[in-house]
Amino acid sequence: MTGQIVTANRLTDGVVVFLTPAAGWSDAVAEAALFDTASAAEGLAKGQADVARHIVVGAYLVDAEPGPAGPVPVEFRERIRARGPTVGVRGAFDVPAAFDAPAEV
């Protein structure tokens, strides 16, 4: 059964998060609530309510299917997004200072 999960970015640090069955947010896609067609709009409404409360930004539905450890996004883009940044992020990885933005002259 293909369903949908709700994803967004956490407002405090931009991390990709997924709406859980307990109506919280997790950075683990395996913990996402998998909605059927009839309940997906309700899940999205919860996500959009948290956008209005400045908890997350950009909530939207993603097609997903059940996997052995939890929902798995169907689209390749969303699978990459669920795995985390594909580039170094200062603080999360060692990023040389040479990659800092140049100082204004």
Side-chain angles (χ1 to χ4, degrees):
M1 170 199 97
T2 301
Q4 291 184 305
I5 58 177
V6 179
T7 186
N9 290 83
R10 192 166 43 215
L11 190 58
T12 56
D13 57 9
V15 169
V16 175
V17 290
F18 303 91
L19 186 66
T20 68
W25 294 94
S26 172
D27 60 2
V29 68
E31 296 177 4
L34 183 60
F35 298 98
D36 60 19
T37 303
S39 62
E42 183 179 321
L44 181 58
K46 167 61 181 149
Q48 291 174 335
D50 284 350
V51 169
R53 294 173 48 213
H54 305 291
I55 295 171
V56 295
V57 295
Y60 62 96
L61 292 168
V62 172
D63 291 339
E65 55 194 15
V72 177
V74 172
E75 302 231 354
F76 185 65
R77 175 190 182 274
E78 295 299 335
R79 287 184 184 201
I80 291 173
R81 195 169 167 272
R83 293 183 72 161
T86 57
V87 296
V89 176
R90 183 162 295 280
F93 305 100
D94 290 332
V95 178
F99 291 101
D100 285 344
E104 300 221 6
V105 180

